């Protein structure tokens, strides 16, 4: 080898070495995968042997061999070795996206730190504990149990859960970078000017040098750059605005995403965001998406309950399955979901962003306050908001579920200003904290059947002819239709009270309901069909009267527990692993949630033969397009067609029409079905009423 070639090689090696020590791109070392596993009696008792294994992300009931139950008064230990394949950077930050309950970290036999929070990320600075020179590092993570948390920490109390399975249930990674380190980015769309506001927090290691920041915004779907350049600043916070060329809005119908990249020369961070705004019009009781009225139709996902489902397995972390679940939900005409009393893995939010869902993001707080006060909540709420505020899918911060306390309201007041997008808040059954906020209501009308008053009417006749306004607050189960405690817009995010387990058996809350409806010897097929019919009527009723901003049925994903202790609620899957709904549910509810829907306003259990009725048919249009079609009404007795009526109908965009159509009942007796139908796109939308014709 001659001297010239040797010099070129030496120069190349020097250049590569320099690049290695001053990389612009942040390195993220994923620690997801199989970890060694053991358990002990306390955090001070580190196991001497790790004979088991457990997946991350996941829960400890997935360990091999199985972890001991019950999950109380124990500590579960995760162990993994890793290397840093280059010179140690300035920053080495361990991020555990979510773990429960109580997390402690030990690196190379030295304690790093601990975090008690169960539903927000844990961050640990590993830099001073790492071995240099490509040496192996041993990482230990200890996870505690639900019953050992301090009483000032939220533990996700839920009356329907029984196991509270611990585990690292979201991603785990080490972030490697140099200073200045980009700690957090918040994006806030400004639709009026086609700009996005960017506020970013930096870690500078105490240096006050001027920072040169490069920025780049591109369309995720096309890669087209819509804004780029650089700026300089001093300090640890920058707050500036960038224009978005040819700005495209985000919505469930068109979930258009952008990606922002910031670079300091020693670190680089990317976040995805959508150009969208969300608020409420309290005068019209409707949500406003991107400045336009938007009717929220949807469901609930109780992921922490699903964690206890016997067939759960790895499904929450099978992200193809999670994406298919969201697409199945969209096929039901749902555009909104409430994460109920618990947050799913971070990937679920990314799926909701890309598939197009509005998320009502509810913190896992249901009555289990213990000694948790506003000052404690502020810390947990802040960590929650910092993790979520770039997701366009998250449109409502929900502080709690069905809980009466002054503490959540105090906490909301202290953290609201952190969100530059000024999203509305939900405060459960406690008072709303601003006129900008919505509030939840849970009109469980069918629990009337548990202790019904004697009547020969259909169980729902009096309810549906009197209750036009969903009741606010905890007194809903004794509805007072003329009482409105607060003027804030209402979202119905639970209703109905007719749950069945996936095998068709009633839950503990619905045993007496089905006995009242169908007698003691009903079949599961009868129960499934009755459930679907009444749930569809409920849905049509609340949508048709236009008294609420959203209608979200409970629940799209939960648990099914038929062994002791039996469960209280359930979802409507026949096969949750393959995402197959119970057929009656899918048939009836897909029509009930159609963007253009209808409701015959008739509720009696029986009508007289030959009687003449003037039936109001409500036709309501949630879309931005005028609708015209022919309303078709039929009355059948068995397979015999007794009557057929056709009537033209036109409904303006976002409008509603009430067609009062004369209907003369047939001159015959027996059980009949009135069916009203319209065609929306290629889909027939059908609403049914069952009744008996009598002399």
């Amino acid at each position: 080898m001659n001297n010239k070639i040797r010099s070129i090689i030496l120069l190349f090696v020097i250049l590569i070495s320099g690049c290695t020590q001053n990389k612009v791109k942040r390195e993220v070392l994923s620690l997801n995968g199989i970890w060694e596993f053991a358990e002990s009696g306390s955090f001070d008792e580190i196991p001497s042997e790790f004979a088991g294994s457990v997946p991350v992300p996941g829960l400890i009931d997935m360990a091999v061999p199985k972890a001991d139950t019950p999950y109380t008064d124990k500590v579960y230990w995760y162990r993994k070795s890793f290397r840093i394949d280059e010179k140690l950077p300035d920053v080495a930050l361990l991020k555990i996206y979510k773990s429960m309950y109580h997390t402690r970290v030990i690196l190379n036999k030295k304690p790093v730190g601990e975090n008690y929070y169960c539903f927000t990320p844990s961050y640990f600075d590993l830099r001073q504990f790492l071995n240099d020179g490509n040496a192996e590092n041993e990482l230990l993570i200890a996870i505690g149990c639900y019953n050992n948390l301090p009483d000032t920490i939220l533990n996700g109390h839920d009356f329907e859960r029984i196991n509270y399975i611990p585990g690292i249930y979201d991603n785990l990674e080490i972030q490697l970078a140099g200073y200045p380190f980009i700690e957090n980015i918040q994006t806030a769309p400004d639709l009026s000017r086609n700009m996005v506001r960017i506020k970013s927090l930096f870690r500078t290691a105490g240096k006050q040098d001027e920072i040169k920041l490069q920025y780049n915004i591109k369309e995720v779907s096309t890669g087209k750059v819509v804004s780029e350049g650089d700026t300089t600043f001093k300090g640890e916070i920058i707050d500036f605005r960038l224009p978005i060329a040819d700005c495209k809005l985000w919505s469930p119908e068109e979930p258009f995403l952008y990606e922002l990249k910031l670079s300091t020369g020693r670190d680089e961070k990317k976040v995805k965001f959508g150009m969208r705004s969300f608020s409420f019009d309290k005068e019209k009781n409707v949500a406003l998406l991107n400045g336009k009225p938007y009717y929220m139709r949807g469901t609930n996902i109780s992921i922490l309950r699903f964690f206890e489902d016997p067939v759960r397995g790895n499904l929450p972390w099978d992200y193809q399955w999670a994406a298919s679940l969201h697409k199945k939900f969209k096929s039901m005409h749902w555009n909104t979901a409430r994460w109920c009393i618990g947050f799913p893995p971070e990937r679920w939010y990314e799926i909701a962003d890309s598939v197009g869902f509005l998320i009502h993001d509810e913190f896992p707080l249901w009555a289990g306050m213990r000694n948790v006060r506003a000052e404690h909540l502020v810390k947990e709420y802040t960590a929650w908001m910092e993790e979520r505020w770039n997701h366009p899918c998250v449109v409502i911060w929900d502080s709690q579920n069905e809980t009466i306390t002054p503490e959540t309201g105090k906490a909301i007041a202290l953290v609201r200003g952190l969100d530059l997008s000024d999203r509305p808040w939900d405060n459960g059954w406690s008072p709303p904290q601003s006129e900008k906020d919505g509030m939840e209501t849970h009109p469980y009308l069918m629990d009337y059947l548990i202790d019904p008053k004697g009547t020969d009417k259909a169980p729902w006749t009096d309810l549906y002819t009197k209750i036009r306004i969903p009741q606010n607050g905890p007194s809903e189960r004794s509805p007072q239709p003329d009482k409105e405690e607060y003027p804030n817009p209402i979202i119905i995010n639970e209703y109905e009270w007719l749950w069945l387990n996936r095998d068709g058996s009633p839950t503990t809350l619905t045993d007496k309901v089905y006995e009242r409806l169908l007698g003691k010897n009903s079949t599961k097929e009868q129960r499934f069909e009755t459930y679907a019919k009444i749930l569809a009527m409920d849905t049509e009723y609340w949508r048709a009267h236009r008294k609420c901003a959203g209608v979200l049925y409970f629940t799209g994903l939960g648990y099914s527990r038929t062994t002791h202790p039996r469960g209280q609620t359930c979802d409507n899957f026949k096969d949750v692993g393959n995402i197959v709904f119970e057929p009656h549910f899918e048939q009836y509810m897909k029509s009930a949630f159609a963007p253009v829907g209808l409701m015959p306003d008739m509720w009696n259990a029986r009508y007289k033969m030959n009687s003449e009725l003037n039936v109001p048919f409500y036709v309501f249009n949630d879309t931005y397009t005028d609708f015209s079609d022919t309303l078709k009404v039929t009355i059948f007795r068995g397979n015999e067609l007794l009557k057929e009526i056709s009537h033209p109908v036109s409904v303006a965009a976002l409008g509603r029409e009430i067609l009062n159509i004369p209907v003369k009942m047939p001159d015959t007796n027996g059980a009949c079905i009135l069916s009203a139908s319209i065609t929306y796109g290629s889909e027939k939308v059908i609403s049914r009423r069952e009744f008996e014709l009598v002399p």
Side-chain angles (χ1 to χ4, degrees):
M1 182 184 295
N2 62 40
N3 290 336
K4 184 176 182 181
I5 295 175
R6 186 177 289 109
S7 298
I8 292 173
I9 292 174
L10 180 60
L11 178 61
F12 179 74
V13 170
I14 292 171
L15 289 172
I16 292 295
S17 176
C19 290
T20 301
Q21 294 179 32
N22 294 282
K23 283 188 174 181
V24 171
K25 185 177 179 181
R26 174 184 298 206
E27 297 289 342
V28 176
L29 176 61
S30 173
L31 296 182
N32 289 354
I34 302 301
W35 286 56
E36 296 175 278
F37 181 74
E39 57 184 271
S40 72
S42 75
F43 281 98
D44 297 324
E45 183 186 341
I46 300 176
S48 59
E49 182 180 357
F50 285 73
S53 63
V54 67
V56 172
L59 296 171
I60 64 163
D61 65 345
M62 302 165 73
V64 178
K66 287 285 187 183
D68 291 339
T69 56
Y71 306 115
T72 55
D73 299 311
K74 299 185 185 74
V75 174
Y76 302 94
W77 295 85
Y78 293 65
R79 184 171 73 177
K80 196 177 190 70
S81 295
F82 66 92
R83 297 175 187 270
I84 304 296
D85 296 329
E86 57 186 59
K87 183 178 179 180
L88 293 183
D90 296 331
V91 177
L93 192 67
L94 175 68
K95 179 179 180 181
I96 304 173
Y97 280 68
K98 288 189 283 290
S99 58
M100 55 190 179
Y101 304 86
H102 185 180
T103 302
R104 184 174 291 183
V105 172
I106 299 171
L107 181 61
N108 297 325
K109 304 187 184 307
K110 298 176 182 177
V112 177
E114 62 185 343
N115 183 25
Y116 287 102
Y117 297 156
C118 305
F119 313 110
T120 56
S122 299
Y123 294 95
F124 300 95
D125 188 348
L126 303 183
R127 178 61 177 81
Q128 63 178 311
F129 305 102
L130 285 169
N131 291 324
D132 204 349
N134 197 29
E136 190 171 81
N137 296 277
E138 181 192 66
L139 180 62
L140 289 178
I141 301 177
I143 302 294
C145 290
Y146 162 85
N147 67 314
N148 296 132
L149 283 172
D151 62 5
T152 56
I153 302 295
L154 292 177
N155 58 12
H157 171 77
D158 182 341
F159 296 105
E160 298 190 29
R161 295 171 63 198
I162 55 175
N163 290 320
Y164 296 91
I165 309 168
I168 301 172
Y169 66 103
D170 208 339
N171 294 334
L172 198 160
E173 67 189 28
I174 299 177
Q175 300 170 1
L176 305 169
Y179 288 120
F181 176 73
I182 306 168
E183 198 157 340
N184 189 271
I185 299 174
Q186 181 177 182
T187 58
D190 181 350
L191 303 190
S192 64
R193 295 190 287 175
N194 290 339
M195 301 184 79
V196 59
R197 181 180 175 186
I198 300 164
K199 186 175 182 179
S200 186
L201 175 65
F202 299 81
R203 189 185 298 181
T204 62
K207 298 178 181 179
Q208 295 300 315
D209 297 338
E210 188 172 69
I211 298 173
K212 182 176 181 180
L213 184 69
Q214 294 178 317
Y215 55 82
N216 174 292
I217 299 176
K218 68 179 183 179
E219 299 176 350
V220 170
S221 59
T222 68
K224 176 184 174 183
V225 175
V226 297
S227 191
E228 63 180 337
D230 58 70
T231 186
T232 57
F233 69 99
K234 278 190 174 183
E236 296 182 336
I237 296 176
I238 186 171
D239 191 339
F240 65 114
R241 286 173 168 81
L242 292 177
I244 304 290
D246 189 25
C247 180
K248 298 177 178 64
L249 303 184
W250 184 96
S251 71
E253 291 70 33
E254 296 183 43
F256 196 88
L257 292 171
Y258 293 92
E259 182 180 78
L260 166 69
K261 179 174 71 174
L262 297 183
S263 175
T264 66
R266 298 295 308 282
D267 185 26
E268 178 181 286
K269 185 174 175 65
K270 299 176 182 178
V271 296
K272 291 179 181 176
F273 67 96
M275 294 296 288
R276 70 102 189 89
S277 65
F278 184 88
S279 59
F280 287 112
D281 183 335
K282 76 171 189 175
E283 302 301 326
K284 297 181 180 178
N285 287 313
V286 69
L288 299 175
L289 179 64
N290 300 328
K292 296 181 181 179
Y294 193 87
Y295 289 98
M296 304 168 75
R297 306 181 303 271
T299 188
N300 288 255
I301 292 177
S302 299
I303 193 69
L304 297 184
R305 291 181 183 177
F306 185 59
F307 281 178
E308 300 189 359
D309 190 272
V311 301
R312 180 214 75 218
N314 189 52
L315 291 178
W317 305 281
D318 179 345
Y319 298 130
Q320 287 188 339
W321 177 86
S324 296
L325 178 74
H326 284 75
K327 291 174 183 176
K328 183 66 174 180
F329 286 176
K330 290 207 78 170
S331 77
M332 297 294 290
H333 304 302
W334 298 337
N335 55 36
T336 306
R338 170 185 173 228
W339 300 152
C340 179
I341 326 176
F343 303 140
E346 176 67 14
R347 184 74 182 97
W348 286 53
Y349 291 87
E350 296 170 0
I351 291 169
D353 286 341
S354 59
V355 171
F357 256 90
L358 304 182
I359 298 302
H360 193 143
D361 207 27
E362 183 175 86
F363 210 92
L365 196 172
W366 183 22
M369 289 290 291
R370 302 186 295 161
N371 284 322
V372 178
R373 298 293 178 262
E375 60 266 27
H376 308 122
L377 290 172
V378 163
K379 296 177 182 178
E380 294 202 53
Y381 286 179
T382 299
W384 162 40
M385 295 168 70
E386 288 176 345
E387 184 72 355
R388 295 287 148 70
W389 50 31
N390 293 312
H391 287 291
C393 67
V394 175
V395 295
I396 297 173
W397 304 113
D398 190 341
S399 66
Q400 49 116 319
N401 175 65
E402 293 187 351
T403 303
I404 301 175
T405 173
E407 301 303 322
T408 52
K410 294 176 186 176
I412 289 171
L414 293 170
V415 301
R416 179 190 291 275
L418 298 176
D419 178 19
L420 303 180
S421 295
D422 195 23
R423 294 168 177 88
W425 282 76
D426 182 300
N427 195 25
W429 277 352
S430 296
Q433 297 300 297
S434 167
E435 63 178 11
K436 301 176 182 178
D437 295 341
M439 60 180 303
E440 67 184 43
T441 184
H442 301 166
Y444 278 120
L445 302 185
M446 290 302 110
D447 73 347
Y448 160 83
L449 296 173
I450 296 173
D451 184 24
K453 305 296 184 291
T455 176
D456 61 352
K457 299 176 183 178
W460 49 81
T461 301
D462 287 340
L463 297 173
Y464 286 155
T465 53
K466 293 179 180 178
I467 310 303
R468 304 283 174 167
I469 300 173
Q471 176 65 32
N472 294 328
S475 59
E476 291 143 333
R477 295 182 185 146
S478 301
Q480 303 173 47
D482 297 327
K483 182 182 178 185
E484 291 186 74
E485 297 177 11
Y486 309 107
N488 297 63
I490 291 170
I491 294 178
I492 297 177
N493 53 30
E494 296 185 32
Y495 62 96
E496 173 262 353
W497 204 280
L498 285 170
W499 300 284
L500 292 171
N501 292 306
R502 295 186 197 128
D503 66 0
S505 62
T507 68
T508 61
L509 296 177
T510 60
D511 285 322
K512 292 184 179 180
V513 171
Y514 283 99
E515 184 177 325
R516 160 73 172 162
L517 284 171
L518 300 172
K520 293 184 177 181
N521 299 313
S522 62
T523 66
K524 68 176 183 179
E525 194 70 17
Q526 289 173 318
R527 292 191 291 271
F528 276 136
E529 187 171 12
T530 299
Y531 183 3
K533 289 175 180 177
I534 298 177
L535 182 55
M537 289 195 298
D538 271 4
T539 304
E540 295 166 7
Y541 180 85
W542 294 120
R543 290 186 64 204
H545 287 296
R546 293 294 207 220
K547 298 293 185 182
C548 49
V551 178
L552 282 62
Y553 112 95
F554 192 88
T555 182
L557 182 68
Y559 67 103
S560 182
R561 192 169 67 236
T562 57
T563 56
H564 181 77
R566 294 165 56 215
Q568 289 72 49
T569 61
C570 187
D571 53 41
N572 293 89
F573 282 105
K574 179 179 179 181
D575 180 348
V576 69
N578 291 306
I579 315 179
V580 178
F581 277 132
E582 194 284 314
H584 295 97
F585 170 84
E586 184 162 11
Q587 174 192 358
Y588 283 88
M589 289 296 283
K590 192 169 184 178
S591 278
F593 272 112
V596 179
L598 73 157
M599 180 195 74
D601 196 10
M602 52 186 299
W603 308 103
N604 289 348
R606 51 191 59 84
Y607 294 95
K608 291 182 179 180
M609 298 159 46
N610 278 325
S611 60
E612 295 188 5
L613 305 178
N614 188 40
V615 180
F617 288 85
Y618 288 66
V619 184
F620 38 95
N621 182 1
D622 289 358
T623 77
Y624 299 129
T625 304
D626 295 346
F627 173 81
S628 294
D629 193 38
T630 298
L631 173 67
K632 296 180 179 179
V633 181
T634 61
I635 299 178
F636 277 85
R637 183 179 62 178
N639 294 323
E640 180 185 3
L641 177 62
L642 302 179
K643 182 171 287 290
E644 187 171 15
I645 302 170
S646 295
H647 197 288
V649 57
S650 294
V651 188
L654 301 175
R656 182 187 71 176
E657 294 293 332
I658 303 174
L659 307 177
N660 291 292
I661 300 177
V663 178
K664 184 174 182 180
M665 289 298 177
D667 186 17
T668 186
N669 66 340
C672 296
I673 298 177
L674 179 144
S675 177
S677 67
I678 53 176
T679 300
Y680 170 71
S682 60
E683 180 181 337
K684 182 168 280 191
V685 179
I686 303 173
S687 178
R688 301 167 180 84
R689 296 292 180 269
E690 297 184 5
F691 53 86
E692 183 182 4
L693 285 175
V694 297

